[in-house]
Structure formats: structure tokens, C-alpha cells
């Protein structure tokens, strides 16, 4: 925890300092606070952080765009800490790369618990390296490099989306329930709803489906049970 680098992007200094105090009580020591979109963008471009806590509404920009910038270079956990609390806002947050979404006002103990749970999973992902390559239909996934190749074109899959695709590849042909997906990807200490899983499934379909992600042929829904990765129908 002491070596974890954290970036807090929040234009209300009192809230940013409260979050910093909460994290320091959990033995996080390397914390940077910035209050504008432009300053945060510069930090993100030039420094590596292990955790990002972002407000959505900033005086000179939108935190959603910062999340997209982060995802181009890192799969570190991204938290949105914001007053925007509608389901549509939450879905947009997850679609732009967020790992968690907390609305203001927030419970300090809950924030601390969520941060620790995400950091535990994030840091543990580096402990074992497996170079296995999963070949499946028109795409392949390199587990070691987190590189997805679809129809010969390569892209990097980061964060929860990578772990979700890996879960399906490791269990190809088997039905995975929402409960199984939730426990495998987010863990029992996380606080998410069905919308979170559905958003990630949709984003994954947009990457691997050959034709129309809205009419999937490869990552299919088994109504009332869950999802299954199958060979694409000819």
C-alpha cells in the first residue's frame, strides 16, 4: 500500500482532502491532488499511477474523457467520485473505463473498503505471468501481453474487460451465470449491479463479434441463466 501512487482529480478541495485523509489512514502514502482537467491530463500523460479517483464535472473538462485517456495507457483501477447519480450516468462511467462509481455524499468506510478491494486484485494480477494464447474462431487472446487480435488486427484490452474476456476464453462453451462473473471479476467485496455486467458484456461484444454486436453470434445470452462463448455460427 505504501508504494501505491494515487491521483485524485477533484475541483472541490475539501472533498479531495477528505479522500486523501481516508486513504492515508489506510497506509496509502503517495497521493497527488489536482483540481482541473488540463492539469490532470498532463499528470496522466507524464506519470504512472496505480489508482485514479476522478470527478466527472470539472471546471475545464469532463472526467469521462480523462478515463478514456487513462485507458489508452493503463489498466489501473479508475474510480468516479461524483454527484451525478442516475443509472445513465453510471453506465456512461463504466463504458468509459471505470472500475467503480461512487456518488456524493459517500461513506468514508465504504470508499476505503472499495479502494482496498480493487488494489488487492490489481496488484495480485502481476504476481503470476502466464504466456498462454487462446485461439478462438476469428480472434485470439494473448494472456501474457493482454493483446487481442481480431481478424489479424491487434489491440490492447485493459482492466475488467481483459479479465472478462479471459474468463470466457478459459471457460469456452460453458454457461457463466452473472453471479459467477461477478465473483470472478469484481469479487465479493465489490458493490455493483446487473447494469455493470451488462455494460461490460456489450463492450466485449463490440470487440469480438464479427458482425452486429447487438445480435451476437459468439458471446451469446442464455436467457435466465447467463452467457456463453461459442464458435461463431456460419
Amino acid at each position: 500500500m505504501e508504494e501505491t501512487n494515487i491521483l485524485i482529480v477533484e475541483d472541490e478541495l475539501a472533498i479531495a482532502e477528505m479522500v486523501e485523509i481516508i486513504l492515508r489512514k489506510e497506509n496509502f502514502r503517495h497521493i497527488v491532488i489536482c483540481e482541473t482537467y488540463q492539469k490532470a491530463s498532463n499528470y496522466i500523460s507524464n506519470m504512472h499511477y496505480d489508482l485514479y479517483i476522478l470527478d466527472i464535472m470539472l471546471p475545464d473538462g469532463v472526467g469521462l474523457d480523462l478515463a478514456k485517456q487513462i485507458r489508452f495507457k493503463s489498466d489501473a483501477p479508475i474510480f468516479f467520485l461524483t454527484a451525478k447519480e442516475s443509472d445513465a450516468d453510471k453506465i456512461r462511467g463504466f463504458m468509459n473505463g471505470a472500475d467503480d462509481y461512487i456518488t456524493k455524499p459517500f461513506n468514508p468506510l465504504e470508499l476505503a473498503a472499495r479502494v482496498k478491494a480493487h488494489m488487492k486484485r490489481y496488484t495480485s494480477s502481476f504476481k503470476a505471468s502466464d504466456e498462454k494464447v487462446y485461439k478462438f474462431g476469428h480472434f485470439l487472446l494473448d494472456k501474457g501481453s493482454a493483446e487481442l487480435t481480431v481478424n489479424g488486427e491487434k489491440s490492447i484490452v485493459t482492466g475488467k474487460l481483459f479479465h472478462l474476456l479471459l474468463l470466457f476464453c478459459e471457460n469456452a462453451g460453458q454457461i457463466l451465470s452473472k453471479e459467477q462473473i461477478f465473483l470472478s471479476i469484481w469479487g465479493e467485496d465489490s458493490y455493483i449491479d446487473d447494469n455493470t455486467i451488462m455494460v461490460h458484456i456489450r463492450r466485449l461484444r463490440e470487440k469480438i463479434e464479427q458482425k452486429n454486436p447487438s445480435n451476437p453470434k459468439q458471446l451469446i445470452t442464455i436467457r435466465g441463466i447467463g452467457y456463453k462463448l461459442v464458435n461463431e455460427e456460419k
Side-chain angles (χ1 to χ4, degrees):
M1 296 294 186
E2 292 185 0
E3 300 304 317
T4 300
N5 293 311
I6 299 174
L7 178 64
I8 300 171
V9 184
E10 170 61 64
D11 62 325
E12 294 186 47
L13 186 58
I15 293 177
E17 290 178 342
M18 181 194 307
V19 173
E20 181 180 16
I21 290 170
I22 292 168
L23 296 178
R24 289 193 183 280
K25 286 183 177 179
E26 301 298 332
N27 293 320
F28 293 102
R29 294 287 177 260
H30 303 291
I31 301 171
V32 174
I33 294 174
C34 60
E35 70 283 359
T36 67
Y37 176 96
Q38 188 57 56
K39 187 182 292 186
S41 181
N42 290 336
Y43 279 127
I44 291 166
S45 297
N46 297 303
M47 296 288 293
H48 167 77
Y49 297 92
D50 304 294
L51 172 68
Y52 298 83
I53 299 177
L54 312 177
D55 192 2
I56 289 182
M57 301 306 296
L58 297 165
D60 58 339
V62 182
L64 296 172
D65 293 333
L66 291 176
K68 288 188 284 188
Q69 180 182 346
I70 293 165
R71 279 291 169 256
F72 276 119
K73 59 174 291 186
S74 173
D75 62 352
I78 298 173
F79 277 53
F80 279 119
L81 185 62
T82 175
K84 298 178 74 64
E85 59 183 9
S86 73
D87 288 342
D89 290 322
K90 294 177 183 178
I91 289 171
R92 277 193 291 271
F94 287 116
M95 289 185 69
N96 282 279
D99 295 283
D100 212 332
Y101 193 106
I102 302 175
T103 56
K104 304 172 185 175
F106 58 91
N107 183 321
L109 294 178
E110 180 181 339
L111 174 62
R114 292 194 190 194
V115 167
K116 287 192 293 184
H118 279 284
M119 291 311 303
K120 181 178 179 181
R121 281 188 292 276
Y122 178 62
T123 55
S124 67
S125 67
F126 298 109
K127 292 182 179 178
S129 177
D130 188 342
E131 297 181 355
K132 185 168 183 179
V133 175
Y134 293 90
K135 297 180 180 180
F136 200 85
H138 63 284
F139 77 82
L140 62 85
L141 178 68
D142 187 321
K143 181 177 179 181
S145 64
E147 189 173 71
L148 173 66
T149 302
V150 182
N151 293 324
E153 296 187 3
K154 295 183 179 181
S155 64
I156 300 296
V157 186
T158 61
K160 293 291 187 291
L161 208 59
F162 165 72
H163 293 292
L164 182 60
L165 179 55
L166 180 61
L167 178 67
F168 278 112
C169 288
E170 291 177 335
N171 297 276
Q174 301 181 39
I175 299 173
L176 298 178
S177 68
K178 289 183 179 180
E179 290 76 15
Q180 288 174 302
I181 294 170
F182 167 76
L183 290 173
S184 297
I185 305 302
W186 283 271
E188 60 185 0
D189 294 327
S190 295
Y191 305 83
I192 67 165
D193 55 24
D194 284 354
N195 279 337
T196 304
I197 294 176
M198 291 170 63
V199 165
H200 282 75
I201 291 291
R202 182 169 64 192
R203 290 175 60 203
L204 189 54
R205 283 170 170 163
E206 289 172 351
K207 283 190 171 290
I208 68 171
E209 290 291 338
Q210 283 270 58
K211 299 176 182 177
N212 182 7
S214 298
N215 184 28
K217 304 296 183 183
Q218 194 150 23
L219 182 52
I220 61 174
T221 300
I222 309 300
R223 189 174 299 277
I225 303 177
Y227 303 94
K228 180 169 67 170
L229 184 64
V230 300
N231 284 316
E232 185 178 12
E233 295 177 2
K234 303 296 184 182

